[in-house]
Amino acid sequence: MLVAYDPIYAHPLPEGHRFPMVKYELIPAQLLREGVITDKQVHTPAPLDEATILLTHTPGYWYKLQHQTLSDKEQRRIGLPQSPALTLREIVICQGTIDCALHALNYGVGLNVAGGTHHAFADHGEGFCLLNDFAIASNYLLQQKLVKQVLVIDLDVHQGNGTAALFAGRPDVYTFSMHGAHNYPFHKEISDWDVPLPDGMNDSDYLRTLRDCLPVLINKVKPDFVFYLSGVDILQTDRYGKLKVTPQGCRERDELVFQTLKQHSIPCAVAMGGGYSTHIRDIVNAHCNTFRAAAEILG
Ligand SMILES: [Zn+2]
């Protein structure tokens, strides 16, 4: 198991945007302290190259990110002020997801401490996402002919609208999103399979829904690679999530996904996505559970 992490994930953000970004430092520290991972498993990604970015994003949008020429409106839509450091951070995160995927192809699983930037479209960013790491990594693996059929399992509480739009009409990448029906983004894109969830959903209903979907997905799509977005904004403690999933339920969600992938011997890259509980320890603990479950089930 490989863990992609760079201190840059947390640091280049301006003061007002540091919470909950501090999780990117706390997650690897916690995992190392517990012995879930060793130093040798922590990998620092390099910045992603331009040719790979342009497999997914438009040259015009990439130019704006490189030269800080996004309009005020475009920056507001992203929710972060543009800076060279922010762009650098994003391309390091995206390379981290590619590195996790390449590792997973050989050893089963790789997890990015950051990533899951599923609100980024080809030509614009939204919701704290500049570039779409799962789309970039999917297009890279397909272009390199390392995989034939990708499945994106997006269990962040927010719909993977950017990913859905990027892969609309693309049979080689199947997009599955299970998300709060009444949550951001309020205009939803159409994934290959969307499962909108009612407000207040509890553990048993959430897990039953997922348990029903997973075998259908695997049989229908027959993926040779999975990207899993394990957002912990499904927690009842989340400020924006609107669901009532407990930390134990969230962990069982991760276990369900990993057990299904193990059963079918499908390699998997994981990115953390959102998590906005009031107390940072709830966020960090739930994300750490994803790593713990991956280590136990997929090694
Ligand atoms: Zn989210």
Side-chain angles (χ1 to χ4, degrees), residues 92-278:
V92 170
I93 287 174
C94 289
Q95 184 64 49
T97 298
I98 291 180
D99 292 343
C100 286
L102 293 173
H103 182 86
L105 282 172
N106 289 320
Y107 303 103
V109 66
L111 298 93
N112 195 339
V113 170
T117 45
H118 59 166
H119 301 311
F121 290 69
D123 62 354
H124 72 274
E126 288 183 23
F128 310 117
C129 304
L130 280 72
L131 299 171
N132 192 310
D133 66 328
F134 278 6
I136 285 172
S138 297
N139 284 328
Y140 177 79
L141 294 186
L142 288 161
Q143 190 229 22
Q144 297 290 314
K145 301 199 186 316
L146 296 170
V147 301
K148 289 196 176 81
Q149 180 63 59
V150 173
L151 167 63
V152 176
I153 299 178
D154 187 335
L155 301 185
D156 190 276
V157 84
H158 302 105
Q159 194 214 21
N161 56 343
T163 318
L166 277 160
F167 292 119
R170 281 270 303 272
D172 49 356
V173 181
Y174 189 97
T175 53
F176 173 76
S177 180
M178 213 166 104
H179 50 263
H182 304 116
N183 218 316
Y184 176 92
F186 299 106
H187 170 76
K188 309 270 192 290
E189 299 293 328
I190 300 170
S191 311
D192 290 305
W193 188 2
D194 285 300
V195 181
L197 307 173
D199 292 355
M201 201 177 211
N202 63 18
D203 282 5
S204 58
D205 289 343
Y206 183 92
L207 293 168
R208 184 167 4 99
T209 306
L210 181 61
R211 205 175 282 119
D212 287 347
C213 290
L214 285 173
V216 178
L217 261 180
I218 300 295
N219 289 332
K220 184 182 162 84
V221 181
K222 299 186 174 43
D224 55 5
F225 199 87
V226 162
F227 286 95
Y228 171 40
L229 213 172
S230 60
V232 301
D233 40 17
I234 63 165
L235 288 177
Q236 60 190 358
T237 47
D238 197 87
R239 286 180 290 173
Y240 309 120
K242 300 184 181 172
L243 303 188
K244 291 220 164 86
V245 177
T246 67
Q248 177 59 27
C250 192
R251 181 178 181 137
E252 284 179 39
R253 171 198 71 168
D254 295 337
E255 289 170 352
L256 258 177
V257 172
F258 294 144
Q259 277 156 359
T260 303
L261 299 180
K262 184 184 171 77
Q263 208 184 335
H264 297 272
S265 305
I266 302 168
C268 173
V270 188
M272 294 303 109
Y276 314 95
S277 293
T278 307

Side-chain angles (χ1 to χ4, degrees), residues 61-73:
Y61 178 48
W62 171 233
Y63 181 93
K64 290 180 194 176
L65 291 178
Q66 273 181 301
H67 300 280
Q68 280 73 58
T69 54
L70 292 167
S71 68
D72 289 348
K73 193 177 165 195

